[in-house]
Amino acid sequence: MSEFDLTVRNGRIATASETYEADIGIRDGRIVALQQGLAPAAHDIDAAGRWVLPGGIDSHCHVEQLSGMGVMCADDFYSATVSAAFGGTTTIIPFAAQHRGQLLPDVVADYARRAAEKAVVDYAFHLILTDPTEPALTDHLPTLIRDGITSFKVFMTYKALKLGDDQILDVLAVADREGALVMVHAENNEIIDWLVRHLQAQGYTAPKYHAVAHAPLAEAEATNRAITLARLLDTPMLIVHVSQAEAIATIGTAQRLGAHIHAETCPQYLFLKADDLDLPGVEGAKFCCSPPPRDAASQQAVWQGLLDGTLKLFSSDHAPYRYDDSGKLPNGEKTTFKQIANGLPGLEVRMPLLFSEGVQTGRLTINEFVALTATNHARMYGLLPRKGTIAIGSDADIAIWNAEREVLISHSMLHDNVGYTPYEGRRIKGWPEVVISRGRIVVQDQTLQVGRGSGQYLRCGVPEPVLKARALRPPDNFVRTLFEHSQASQKDAQ
Ligand code: DUC
Ligand code: ZN
Ligand code: ZN
């Protein structure tokens, strides 16, 4: 009898740093052998002529979550994780989202229960933090961080979600002290509101005006301001869903100055344009997300940011809303751009789109592809080496890609519950045909092979940017010390 539960043989393995031919032996959900000439186990996959890559990590997706406007996502943990798996992603990190007035521990307990019942691949959580009260900052966040939720997103826009700069500083200081990473949605709220008001006053309500209201400069300004706040405390920050050149330039400058600034982008900023919102009626709602898709020059800048390492993460920002009155169109054909639920689906096509347009075109090496879609996410959120790579001791999360398979993207072939895809009709080349999570074959022969609730919760460790910042910076930062002392005296005074 074989010492392995499963073997994957004859494939070409790529990690973020290496490419080589070897067989993989898997036991108890982990990779335990990596060498040529392994004898087949009773369960054996012949990966000859295929790429054997780490399963993807999608570290920015919205699943079974209420939006700021109170709209429920179309995907629950079942449909979202099934869809992820069919697209080669074996770990997702969605958001346990606090709405004002809610207690963080309650939010997380509810979200954890929903996920445990339904997820088919593994998952960790970020928080969305909208109400940084004193108990949240002093008690709830530190406890949740110790329980493995080591990243949280704050918003600079959306009335119901946004924090002021002073609140963001409070959150950054707590994250810094407790070992967590703050993710920022950077758009200037006042600029957007002003533009919305004047567009509406002139009767400009069609979906295409969403992209006008969410102006590139609103993103550029907020990105610069967010970075300034992080630099004041000399603490790490991740700018999410970056879409345009000036924001990327600002991030690059901060990185060259030695600030601990990291950044992510998403498929919609490489493969869609603001022009896509300009369709008859309200059809353009299918392309409304924030920040919105931009122009060809922005797409070029985003590609460049991925190639030169300014942008380290490629996530979907999957935010699924159906094209009907349950989601995108609360007012049917009369829905104005301001009322359209913001967000696009992308969990399943994230990796195939980048594989086809990045690797197959020669823009990216296969190793860069792995880094951008898996390994860098595991580093960023404290999941390496368990997730995001192929190595002895790592979880056996593997996607076996057929680089020759040509696919015509259409919603009918996808597994989410959104009812449309913004990438309808695109021809791409390369698709993950077998997907393995913790040694379990999740997808094979275009069929789901596992049941609801078989995914596991992952506790994230300290994010690598936090460890690096701690190691590199001088121990005394007067501004941080000021925060610590004033927090302590506020607590004593109670
Ligand atoms: N923008 C966000 O900030 N989150 C969800 C989707 C979107 O478009
Ligand atoms: Zn956002
Ligand atoms: Zn998002």
Side-chain angles (χ1 to χ4, degrees), residues 60-62 65 95 128 153 155 185 240-241 264 266 268 290 316-319 342-343:
H60 186 158
C61 49
H62 301 270
Q65 184 208 309
F95 298 84
I128 284 177
K153 181 176 177 189
F155 287 80
H185 177 129
V240 296
H241 47 50
E264 169 206 80
C266 313
Q268 47 270 40
S290 296
S316 68
D317 196 7
H318 182 80
N342 280 203

Side-chain angles (χ1 to χ4, degrees), residues 98-119:
Q98 179 197 41
H99 294 269
R100 289 197 186 121
Q102 292 180 329
L103 295 179
L104 289 169
D106 297 347
V107 170
V108 171
D110 175 60
Y111 207 52
R113 183 182 49 74
R114 291 166 183 270
E117 284 166 5
K118 300 173 203 138

